Amino acid sequence: MPIRRFSFCAALIAAAGLTLSLTGCPDPEGAFEDFATRYDDIHGGTGTGTGGGGGGDACTPAAEGELDGEYMFSISARLSPKKAFALDATFVTHDDGAGGLTADLDLQPLSKDDQTTDVGTVLSFTALPIGADGSFTWDFGMVTLPGAANPITGSDVVTTLVLTGQLCAGDRAGFVCGEATGTITEPLMAELAPGSGFTMQAADGGTLPPPVINCAMDPAVY
Amino acid sequence: MRTKTTLRAAIGVAAFLTPLVMSQSASASGFSTARFGGEHGHPTTDNPTAIYYNPAGLAEDTPGFEKKDWRLKFMVDGNLALRWAGWSHAKSDSDSEPADASGANTGQADLFNVAAAPFAAATFQYKDLGIGVGFFVPFGGASSWGKNDDFKDNKSYAGPYDGVQRWHAIDGTIRSIYISLGVAYDILDRVSIGVSGNIVMNEVKTLRARNSDGSNDIDLEGRSLIDVSGLTGSLGVGIIGEIEPEKVWLGFSYQSQPGFGENTLEGTLTNFLAGSREQPADIKFLQSLPDIYRLGVRARPVKDVELRVFGDVTNWSVMDRQCVIPATQDTCELNADGSAKAGDSTILQLARNWGPAFGVRIGGSYWVVPEAELFLGAGYDSNAVPDSTLEPALTDFQKASLAGGVRIAVGETFAMALSYTHIFYAPRDTTGESVLPKLSPPSRTPDSGGEYTQTIGVINANVQLSF
């Protein structure tokens, strides 16, 4: 259909006896494809990334209860990687009896406006596995983040969410980061990955630090 | 279901015959483009354009024509519009423009587009009864903006090549195609009343640059392509009184809103955001189009002269927003700051907040000989779009127009007319006035303030057969 429209438009212009640029004919699909081509030429068809590994130092596995406490939990989506969903996390670990740990995690969404005020309901996850080396993959299933906590569009977000990272004690205690993957189903179908990540920063004396967007601890901008 | 499918197919064919509508704001306010018939399209007309301007005219006789029991009229009309427009945007507080991309979001954007709008109708009069069918495009806008060659083949940024205005419009069309059936009756020999029913196909197809947070950060720059359409209906009613037989006519008509309120268009949204292309998502697009009141008077004080004065009031205040919502949602209920209410998943709201607008036109004809008519016209149309929401995608201005043309007739059977109208638009400077970046997502879009200019030339040609 775009070709037929283009041809008709060109014919119109020719009929008018004008020597014009054919850019005078609207072709939204064509302009969309042109942008995609230019983007891929520049970026090689890959997305931008904000997630990451979690530091270069060796990981010292944590003991049960060693990392328990309150954290600023943030999720940075590639759609707007300089902003982050902020959640107040309560983290409790248990010995799984096989050399690793399990964790219970409560996430209280925080307001997109001040990153301190509770909004929506607490998301609770139990028995999240942590390997003997501290590595983990947590599948949260389908979660709903309220629009009041969404700094990007302000709309409710329904998405599957899988977090991958490594939980370490020692010098790396108090900060966890990794990749976030999943499929957003509302308000629109979209993939989180590549380029989305999460961080957990331990509270300091009961005060939550401001959210950061990546493993380099760059602060979120609102 | 089959009927609806057939109807869509018929209108689809009609839409194919209308690949371009007249450039937006080609004549009247908002994106009204009803210029078919040229100077002879008005609420006291007796030609087939009456099916839109005033259906009562379907039962009106043409002065000087032989009185007979029946008459069949065909009319084909086309407008060819040449549109020049510009938008110059200076950096505002909300604009993002990295040092290595100076001019990506600021500077001058221009377009030159050629567009066409057809009209076709047939009417049949039997004694005091008149019926008609027609096809036309009374609302529409199309634009394809020029490129920013400073960013052609840029090695870092894919977006800015599409022009400074790309956050509001790159390529796009909005139009409402009407297929109309009208009936009129000359009830008192000197008073005709008429009514028309319209099947309206609304279409929006548009591409703009977009970020999820409504910013114009070119590091994240993506694209959103909306392609939606929807069928609805509307009604027109009118009355024409012959104040002085074959000398003075007074007409009034009303065209309802398409769909009698908010229209729901269905289709897809395809996003390419932050480097990832998503599959087309099913969406609904909500918008309201205006109802229109028309009033006119036509007089033939002497045999070879006709004078016309007519005007309209178009209620563009119903165009308060355009809303993109998921297909699973039915309403777009947002907070005053543009943010979504709890549970609302609105994808995008384009704040419009347009106001009512009016137009007035005067014109006249002089028959050099019975077969050759010279006509002139001049008009003014007000502006429907406030400074706060004016954006390059849908512009409007205060405007004045001048028209001149000739109509050649061969007896009562054949007539053809050719005219040219030039529309002069008063430039607008809305720098610092845009509220769009101050709204919260999903209503936030980049600053649309700037200097707007436009001029349009319209060539109108039509042929009428009468038997």
Side-chain angles (χ1 to χ4, degrees):
Chain A
M1 184 60 80
I3 293 172
R4 299 176 77 185
R5 287 175 182 234
F6 181 84
S7 300
F8 193 96
C9 184
L12 264 180
I13 291 171
L18 302 170
T19 308
L20 303 175
S21 161
L22 293 178
T23 56
C25 299
D27 180 16
E29 293 103 333
F32 184 94
E33 296 300 334
D34 289 347
F35 172 79
T37 300
R38 295 198 302 272
Y39 190 94
D40 288 346
D41 287 346
I42 292 171
H43 300 280
T46 59
T48 57
T50 59
D57 297 338
C59 180
T60 303
E64 179 184 11
E66 185 178 359
L67 300 178
D68 291 5
E70 188 176 16
Y71 288 77
M72 168 58 80
F73 186 99
S74 61
I75 301 171
S76 171
R78 65 168 177 80
L79 293 173
S80 186
K82 294 177 183 174
K83 298 179 177 177
F85 289 79
L87 303 99
D88 183 349
T90 302
F91 187 67
V92 179
T93 55
H94 310 281
D95 190 335
D96 69 355
L101 299 172
T102 62
D104 297 337
L105 180 64
D106 288 341
L107 296 172
Q108 169 62 61
L110 299 175
S111 167
K112 62 183 172 62
D113 298 321
D114 59 17
Q115 294 79 49
T116 58
T117 305
D118 294 352
V119 293
T121 56
V122 175
L123 307 171
S124 294
F125 308 96
T126 58
L128 299 169
I130 302 169
D133 63 350
S135 64
F136 62 82
T137 298
W138 295 339
D139 186 347
F140 289 173
M142 191 73 76
V143 299
T144 299
L145 296 168
N150 179 354
I152 302 173
T153 68
S155 298
D156 291 356
V157 175
V158 179
T159 182
T160 60
L161 190 61
V162 177
L163 306 183
T164 305
Q166 194 172 29
L167 192 71
C168 304
D171 292 342
R172 291 172 58 182
F175 181 71
V176 183
C177 68
E179 292 183 345
T181 60
T183 301
I184 301 170
T185 53
E186 289 185 22
L188 275 178
M189 289 291 291
E191 293 298 324
L192 274 176
S196 297
F198 78 98
T199 65
M200 289 174 61
Q201 303 172 80
D204 183 7
T207 302
L208 289 173
V212 296
I213 59 171
N214 52 25
C215 295
M217 301 186 73
D218 294 326
V221 177
Y222 293 96
Chain B
M1 179 65 78
R2 175 172 293 179
T3 302
K4 191 172 182 179
T5 303
T6 305
L7 194 56
R8 279 184 177 274
I11 294 181
V13 171
F16 174 69
L17 295 173
T18 315
L20 300 167
V21 294
M22 195 189 276
S23 299
Q24 68 174 65
S25 308
S27 171
S29 56
F31 50 90
S32 300
T33 52
R35 284 290 300 159
F36 35 88
E39 293 301 304
H40 293 92
H42 53 78
T44 58
T45 192
D46 54 39
N47 71 33
T49 65
I51 198 166
Y52 180 67
Y53 295 118
N54 187 344
L58 298 175
E60 284 292 306
D61 297 322
T62 302
F65 274 28
E66 175 192 355
K67 303 295 182 188
K68 59 182 196 176
D69 282 348
W70 65 272
R71 187 175 296 280
L72 191 59
K73 297 176 186 173
F74 296 99
M75 184 172 182
V76 177
D77 178 284
N79 280 306
L80 188 71
L82 290 75
R83 177 189 178 208
W84 293 261
W87 181 61
S88 177
H89 179 65
K91 192 173 190 307
S92 70
D93 292 342
S94 63
D95 285 329
S96 168
E97 196 172 76
D100 64 344
S102 178
N105 288 334
T106 57
Q108 179 73 26
D110 294 293
L111 72 72
F112 171 56
N113 291 167
V114 179
F119 166 91
T123 66
F124 178 71
Q125 289 174 273
Y126 180 74
K127 295 185 176 177
D128 293 328
L129 178 70
I131 59 174
V133 294
F135 158 77
F136 45 90
V137 187
F139 297 108
S143 59
S144 180
W145 287 82
K147 301 301 181 186
N148 184 349
D149 286 332
D150 290 345
F151 286 86
K152 187 176 184 180
D153 301 324
N154 189 278
K155 302 300 183 190
S156 300
Y157 302 107
Y161 178 58
D162 281 331
V164 172
Q165 84 305 322
R166 68 193 181 282
W167 299 99
H168 309 283
I170 296 172
D171 271 20
T173 301
I174 182 170
R175 62 184 174 186
S176 297
I177 301 168
Y178 280 47
I179 292 179
S180 183
L181 174 65
V183 59
Y185 195 78
D186 190 349
I187 54 174
L188 298 171
D189 194 37
R190 288 169 58 178
V191 178
S192 298
I193 57 171
V195 59
S196 61
N198 309 303
I199 297 165
V200 182
M201 183 166 191
N202 294 312
E203 290 184 334
V204 176
K205 181 180 277 189
T206 182
L207 174 69
R208 63 168 61 195
R210 179 100 184 128
N211 289 337
S212 296
D213 59 2
S215 72
N216 59 2
D217 183 345
I218 67 171
D219 287 323
L220 301 175
E221 182 170 345
R223 293 289 183 272
S224 285
L225 174 66
I226 291 174
D227 186 356
V228 292
S229 62
L231 272 181
T232 188
S234 72
L235 288 174
V237 295
I239 184 169
I240 294 177
E242 206 168 334
I243 308 297
E244 181 73 24
E246 301 217 340
K247 286 198 171 185
V248 181
W249 297 260
L250 179 66
F252 172 78
S253 71
Y254 171 76
Q255 277 286 344
S256 77
Q257 285 185 264
F260 309 101
E262 190 168 67
N263 299 160
T264 300
L265 288 65
E266 298 180 345
T268 59
L269 167 65
T270 307
N271 277 329
F272 189 117
L273 296 176
S276 181
R277 179 180 187 149
E278 309 295 352
Q279 291 299 310
D282 292 337
I283 60 163
K284 292 174 181 170
F285 184 95
L286 308 180
Q287 69 175 5
S288 297
L289 296 175
D291 48 355
I292 305 170
Y293 301 84
R294 289 189 171 85
L295 181 65
V297 61
R298 175 165 63 110
R300 294 198 172 188
V302 294
K303 180 173 177 288
D304 298 329
V305 173
E306 178 176 282
L307 302 174
R308 297 174 290 270
V309 180
F310 53 94
D312 69 87
V313 175
T314 304
N315 185 24
W316 280 112
S317 58
V318 298
M319 179 64 99
D320 56 346
R321 65 178 183 183
Q322 292 171 305
C323 230
V324 181
I325 59 176
T328 54
Q329 188 170 309
D330 292 319
T331 59
C332 176
E333 300 297 335
L334 304 180
N335 297 309
D337 66 355
S339 62
K341 290 184 175 176
D344 187 287
S345 296
T346 294
I347 299 163
L348 172 65
Q349 177 191 235
L350 297 170
R352 298 298 183 200
N353 299 327
W354 290 13
F358 72 95
V360 62
R361 190 158 196 86
I362 60 172
S365 296
Y366 173 67
W367 278 263
V368 182
V369 293
E371 294 78 18
E373 171 191 352
L374 301 178
F375 54 88
L376 295 170
Y380 165 81
D381 281 278
S382 68
N383 161 54
V385 185
D387 288 352
S388 57
T389 63
L390 181 66
E391 61 159 358
L394 290 174
T395 59
D396 198 10
F397 305 72
Q398 295 198 66
K399 51 202 142 328
S401 62
L402 287 173
V406 59
R407 187 171 188 267
I408 304 296
V410 179
E412 296 181 0
T413 305
F414 175 84
M416 60 180 295
L418 180 66
S419 63
Y420 176 79
T421 302
H422 200 89
I423 308 166
F424 305 90
Y425 294 81
R428 298 181 67 176
D429 186 351
T430 64
T431 301
E433 301 294 328
S434 176
V435 300
L436 304 182
K438 300 170 185 169
L439 298 172
S440 296
S443 304
R444 178 185 297 155
T445 62
D447 192 309
S448 60
E451 296 176 17
Y452 291 77
T453 57
Q454 180 165 281
T455 190
I456 291 178
V458 181
I459 300 167
N460 175 265
N462 61 63
V463 173
Q464 183 177 328
L465 301 176
S466 181
F467 304 101

